[in-house]
Amino acid sequence: MSVLYLLSIIVPTVCMGLVDRRWRLFLFRPGRAGRAVAVVATGTVLFLVWDLIAIGADMYHRGESDAMTGIELAPELPLEELFFIVFLCYLTMVLHQLFVLLLARPSARSREAA
């Protein structure tokens, strides 16, 4: 039993949180924390349901690795999957907000023309 794989998900999630906090992109936007948590939670639930449907249809099987904890939330659903899904949802929303911010900025040419 190892936590190496779990740590390889948790560390980037914390780093993403630091980036988010620095530029206040998603979770750390003033007055938007509740909505951000709800969005990540909704995405996590949807992906978990998707995984459970795939497991039930015998389309998905848990891989074996010495780097994994061996803890299962349900048959064929490792603990690491939950952390990966949360990371995936959080990363998606941080990137989305970053692109919204970048696209909303006036370009250098339009500033020069003004």
Side-chain angles (χ1 to χ4, degrees), residues 53-111:
I53 291 170
I55 290 167
D58 205 31
M59 297 170 58
Y60 173 81
H61 297 285
R62 181 171 95 80
E64 294 296 326
S65 171
D66 291 337
M68 295 175 69
T69 61
I71 300 170
E72 289 188 353
L73 303 174
E76 303 295 330
L77 185 64
L79 174 66
E80 291 85 357
E81 183 74 6
L82 174 64
F83 282 86
F84 176 73
I85 290 171
V86 170
F87 171 72
L88 181 66
C89 293
Y90 187 39
L91 172 66
T92 300
M93 294 312 301
V94 167
L95 288 175
H96 176 269
Q97 287 303 117
L98 176 63
F99 288 132
V100 167
L101 180 69
L102 291 176
L103 292 174
R105 292 174 69 190
S107 68
R109 283 188 176 173
S110 63
R111 278 183 271 162

Side-chain angles (χ1 to χ4, degrees), residues 5 14-15 19-20 23 26 28 35 42 50 52-54 57 61 64 74 99-100 106:
Y5 182 52
V14 170
C15 291
V19 168
D20 183 13
W23 284 281
F26 181 61
F28 294 94
R35 183 185 297 180
T42 302
W50 181 342
L52 292 172
I53 291 170
H61 297 285
E64 294 296 326
F99 288 132
V100 167

